[in-house]
Amino acid sequence: AIAGMVYYFHNYLTKPEIELVSQVVSNLMLFSIIVIFIGMALKKRANVYEAFIEGAKGGIQTSITIIPYLVGMLVAISVLRNSGIFGFVVQFFTWVFAGFGLNTDFVGALPTALMKPLSGSGSRGLLYCQDKAVAKKILEFHGIHTPVFARSYRGRLDFSHELEFPVIVKPAREDGSIGIEFNAVVSSIRELMERIDWLHANFDSPVLIEEYVVGREMYVGVLGNDNPVALPVVELDLSKLPEGTPRIAGAEVKWGKGTAAYKDTKSAIAEDLPEETATLLQTTAVAVFQALELRDYARIDMRLRPDGRVAVIEANPNPWLASKAEFAMAARKSGRTYTQLIGEITDLAMARYGG
């Protein structure tokens, strides 16, 4: 049989056809092995997904138990992607639903929909927000004001507006104020170059050089999908930071427990805002949420300039949801209990999965 296949390949197929058939056959063989692994797991009633979670909790012994299944899952995903099987599956279902005269826009989401349901923003929104420079370009395209900036990596200036000192220098692909300390605000070329060098050495990441905006630090949570709504405005009060310290929500403010910067900065509902200012902050937050294709919930961080203008600093998809965090604080002000907030987010997510 093998000799017959070789003869057929050699005499009847072109080289590109042989390569295509070989690739498909080899991928199918690998995929069959994965199916066998998963079948054995099912036969033994081993829940691979739950076993992985318990392994993470239970320690190294359980982790060792699930390694073959985990490797199988990773290899299966790689095989599916490289073989184009997902594409054929999507095309098949598109053909089936189109045959019944149904809208097929949802078919492209089937590979994700068949996985475990998840809340919060999907891969596209996370991708946009993870690179702050990309997010800012998208916001500018939509006419949403964000501080002017430049993006640099290893001596190469990828993009730049006209900038004036002072500027704030931070990693372009981090969150949680990682890499943003008080000395991130610089006022000279020397300080700028030293800060860029330090960030490249410690993060190996593009650097965002951004206009330092003087003003109040404002957070607006957004909740929803088709018709997202803005929650009440929360302010991180930075007015009690020591004199001469930049008014920024740096790592010292967020993570420096026991320090004056940590103890003297508190978040609270912004009660003193004129109605038109609060509305401007909320409508801006919703516009950002939609421009960056976020979903379910997010928090938009902004600066309110002394002249009343709003500058969007960044968007936080899937922000911290602890009961004492800013998002939950705003939800309570809107009349939602913490339990209701979590339930609403869960309902928004489950609606995508027919739940």
Side-chain angles (χ1 to χ4, degrees), residues 87-99:
F88 289 124
V89 171
V90 170
Q91 290 177 9
F92 171 75
F93 280 105
T94 299
W95 178 79
V96 170
F97 289 112

Side-chain angles (χ1 to χ4, degrees), residues 52-286:
F52 175 71
I53 299 302
E54 289 302 317
K57 294 179 179 178
I60 187 65
Q61 188 58 46
T62 306
S63 298
I64 292 174
T65 303
I66 67 162
I67 281 176
Y69 304 118
L70 178 59
V71 171
M73 290 168 64
L74 295 174
V75 173
I77 292 171
S78 177
V79 169
L80 287 171
R81 286 178 174 174
N82 293 330
S83 66
I85 289 177
F86 268 148
F88 289 124
V89 171
V90 170
Q91 290 177 9
F92 171 75
F93 280 105
T94 299
W95 178 79
V96 170
F97 289 112
F100 286 97
L102 300 174
N103 188 311
T104 60
D105 291 346
F106 72 96
V107 177
L110 281 177
T112 300
L114 294 173
M115 305 297 283
K116 287 282 185 178
L118 54 92
S119 66
S121 293
S123 57
R124 185 175 301 171
L126 295 174
L127 178 66
Y128 291 161
C129 294
Q130 185 61 35
D131 191 318
K132 294 178 174 64
V134 170
K136 288 167 74 68
K137 290 177 183 178
I138 294 173
L139 297 182
E140 284 190 337
F141 175 82
H142 286 275
I144 300 169
H145 178 61
T146 182
V148 295
F149 71 101
R151 182 182 183 274
S152 175
Y153 185 59
R154 298 295 182 189
R156 177 184 175 184
L157 193 64
D158 297 331
F159 177 86
S160 180
H161 287 117
E162 292 294 332
L163 283 165
E164 296 181 358
F165 289 111
V167 294
I168 181 168
V169 189
K170 53 191 176 184
R173 296 175 181 167
E174 296 291 343
D175 51 29
S177 292
I178 295 173
I180 306 175
E181 293 80 24
F182 288 143
N183 62 358
V185 178
V186 301
S187 301
S188 68
I189 293 293
R190 178 178 177 176
E191 291 177 347
L192 172 63
M193 300 309 295
E194 289 176 347
R195 185 66 187 173
I196 291 174
D197 182 66
W198 186 86
L199 288 173
H200 283 160
N202 286 274
F203 293 93
D204 191 25
S205 164
V207 170
L208 189 72
I209 307 161
E210 185 179 59
E211 169 195 7
Y212 173 59
V213 177
V214 175
R216 298 167 67 179
E217 184 93 355
M218 300 298 190
Y219 302 148
V220 177
V222 180
L223 193 61
N225 286 320
D226 294 334
N227 297 295
V229 297
L231 298 176
V233 181
V234 172
E235 178 178 10
L236 175 61
D237 184 5
L238 302 170
S239 64
K240 294 181 181 179
L241 286 173
E243 186 175 351
T245 302
R247 300 302 197 252
I248 61 173
E252 298 93 339
V253 169
K254 290 189 177 181
W255 311 114
K257 292 185 177 180
T259 66
Y262 184 87
K263 291 186 292 185
D264 294 341
T265 51
K266 302 295 181 183
S267 294
I269 299 297
E271 303 279 9
D272 63 337
L273 293 177
E275 184 177 349
E276 60 272 18
T277 301
T279 300
L280 175 60
L281 287 162
Q282 291 173 315
T283 55
T284 300
V286 171

